[in-house]
Amino acid sequence: MMNAMDQASDDAMMLATVDEFCRRHLPPDEIRRRDEVHLAPYDLVPHLAEMGLIRAGFPEEIGGLGLPWASMCRIQERLAYHTHSISSLLNRYISFGAMPIRFFGNDEQKARLLPEIFEGRVLVALALSEPGAGSDARAVTTRAVRDGDGWRISGRKTWISDADQADYLLTLCRTPGEAGGPKSLTSFLIPRHAAGIAMTPIPKIGNNCMPSWDIGFDNVHVADSDRLGPVGEGFATITGSLRYSRASVAAATIGTAQAAVDLASAHALERQQFGRPLVEFQVLKHRLVDMHIEVRKARLVTYELARVIDAGEPAEEIGAVAKIVATEALQYVTNHGMQILASAGYATESPMQRYWRDARLYSFGEGTNEIQREIIARQLGLFVPREKGLAKTG
Ligand SMILES: Cc1cc2nc3c(=O)[nH]c(=O)nc-3n(C[C@H](O)[C@H](O)[C@H](O)COP(=O)(O)OP(=O)(O)OC[C@H]3O[C@@H](n4cnc5c(N)ncnc54)[C@H](O)[C@@H]3O)c2cc1C
């Protein structure tokens, strides 16, 4: 393993490359244009691959660069400082495609798909949510039933990012009558262009560069070799790599939050009212300091999560804490950032309105913060075991 000083110098070089890439391909005017015309940065994926960012956090034995997750978090944070859309797309390549295949793919799937994902040639969309299965993710009703050597899949998924652009849809299906009994859930990597798939876009108020789709599966046939992981253990393929994605999401959130704080600070130093810069009104100066404190707290807990991951320690509780602290910090700073910029932030030419709109998603996307609190409560033992509860009432 590399020593801390060498790692810091490697990270500095990687971050300089990331800055250069963003300055060249995603300058502020281009970010604004893409947001206005809802243009996702799929065209920039070859650059992410060329910089080695998709493979960077994976072990060298499987084609990765072996970077610690703390370094991956620094990369995500820096990308998101420029624009959240590019760091979020990188995270989807890693968390929805490469990670589930790394942990649950068979040898053939790993050999075929991991190099393609690392090269940015294969994109996997996560098709978990359904009209009746949001927070209650296990309530999926999309069914997969055996059909000869393969399966037939019917049902509906909703709010699926990238679905139209993806090569595969990592789809959680109910497989009643299979291992796991009536509650059996199994995951499939459904080829996006399989017959019987229909998609419609979902218009929305933010994250314009991350297209969202509603998907109908009408008797879609897939081969058994398209199954990811064992029959009946599909839920694990979705949740098995959550610790990594929690850290990436939190790190990206901090990047955007820092950009909002910097923008608000620059505005408060420059804008004059009553003959003085806004920053000389103590209420605004202290608000900027409070914004800084929120981002600082989020950064501390996120890099603690990264340390825990790199040390191989249990990360469920700290992962949920980091997700909550970072996403709520982002909402705090974008809300107050908007107040400090006032009309200047409300104009579409200001990035502040985009930060503010986009920020609203993160406290309920990627696992709502209420469900994260449930996860923490469970880790703290704040629940009554069902049998005990029944005994009490019975
Ligand atoms: C822009 C966007 C992109 C998305 N991308 C994807 C994707 O790529 N793939 C995918 O599968 N899904 C995706 N989703 C779906 C997302 O994961 C869900 O929106 C999320 O899981 C919440 O589900 P819901 O919206 O149905 O809310 P609900 O489950 O209806 O929840 C409503 C509210 O009730 C609260 N609540 C529910 N149950 C409890 C409880 N037990 N205790 C306390 N509070 C509770 C929730 O926290 C929430 O505040 C995306 C959503 C959006 C908006």
Side-chain angles (χ1 to χ4, degrees), residues 96 126-129 134-135 158-161 204 210 212 361 364 366 368 370-371:
F96 297 170
L126 174 66
L128 168 63
S129 303
S135 303
T158 194
W159 283 105
I160 309 308
S161 308
K204 58 185 193 289
M210 181 180 69
S212 303
L361 170 67
F364 60 86
E366 295 257 353
T368 71
E370 288 77 13
I371 297 300

Side-chain angles (χ1 to χ4, degrees), residues 310-332:
D310 288 329
E313 295 167 14
E316 209 173 3
E317 177 266 340
I318 179 84
V321 171
K323 200 270 178 180
I324 293 171
V325 173
T327 56
E328 292 179 3
L330 178 61
Q331 289 184 354
Y332 181 90

